Amino acid sequence: MCQLLGMNCNVPTDIVFSFTGFATRGGRTDEHVDGWGIAFFEGAGVRHFVDYEAAIASPVAELIKRWPIKSKNVIAHIRKATQGRVALENCHPFVRELWGRYWVFAHNGDLKDFSPQLTGAFRRVGTTDSELAFCYLLQELRKRFGDTPPALPDLTAAMRELTAGIASHGTFNMMLSDGTALFAHCSTQLHYIVRQHPFSTAELSDEDLSVDFSKVTTPNDRVAVIVTSPLTSNERWIPFASGELKVFVDGAPLAL
């Protein structure tokens, strides 16, 4: 299956360190070679990069490793195809507009007998179950709340119900963000870490690379990183429970 990477922060932060280790799993230390993608929120806009080449061989991935784009919410994905051919339109993350803002979504898993009817503005471009699930999520949120975006507690309650329903069709590890919060749902495997003062040195598991975060941060910075499998070998990553939905805001999970 695929792998997911997300970052949620209280100040704009670059994801170069984490993405460098994550991209290595796209063909060198793991077998996720059927494309990759990443999306960065910047104000009301989104920088969105996808490629059907393996992340380890993609010139675009090399650009992202060397370009410290700063964002408060980032979602990345490396693909091992289960549904849908290897093609650009099937690369995650996917982007759509709802309530006058962009939403970014990525999925790891395989959904069986999942064929909801899409009746509104949200339609698939590619052929993945993942994009279908994304369109269905937005369609159902629009049905429930109309043209007015709900308060975060109401949105969270709706997301918990909808993700549980989709997960009943198979594996549904997913990340979704509108640039203000990052939702992460776990069926089988997700981990997270919150880095904050006092910062220390982190060492990647998939690359011979480390960074002393105390030298590149301020005492007020806080960064949550969410990933399928832990990226570093010397930090304590917290596993999600199966069926758990977490919401990250300003670099920390909310108490739900």
Side-chain angles (χ1 to χ4, degrees), residues 108-184:
N108 160 28
D110 192 17
L111 302 174
K112 303 296 186 184
D113 300 319
F114 180 69
S115 54
Q117 185 177 7
L118 299 179
T119 59
F122 305 107
R123 303 295 178 93
R124 277 196 297 187
V125 176
T127 54
T128 64
D129 54 339
S130 306
E131 190 182 14
L132 177 60
F134 181 32
C135 291
Y136 172 73
L137 270 174
L138 296 186
Q139 173 179 281
E140 294 307 300
L141 291 175
R142 179 66 180 271
K143 283 182 180 178
R144 292 181 185 219
F145 301 110
D147 292 328
T148 304
L152 185 57
D154 296 327
L155 178 59
T156 300
M159 282 293 299
R160 183 181 291 111
E161 181 181 337
L162 290 169
T163 53
I166 297 172
S168 68
H169 292 271
T171 304
F172 193 57
N173 303 301
M174 74 92 204
M175 293 184 189
L176 174 73
S177 179
D178 68 342
T180 63
L182 191 153
F183 296 84

Side-chain angles (χ1 to χ4, degrees), residues 23 35 60 78 104 120 139 148 170 193 201 211 214 222 229-230 236 246 249:
V60 185
I78 48 177
V104 172
Q139 173 179 281
T148 304
I193 190 169
T201 298
V211 63
S214 67
R222 186 171 62 232
S229 181
R236 179 177 172 267
K246 286 188 177 294
V249 175

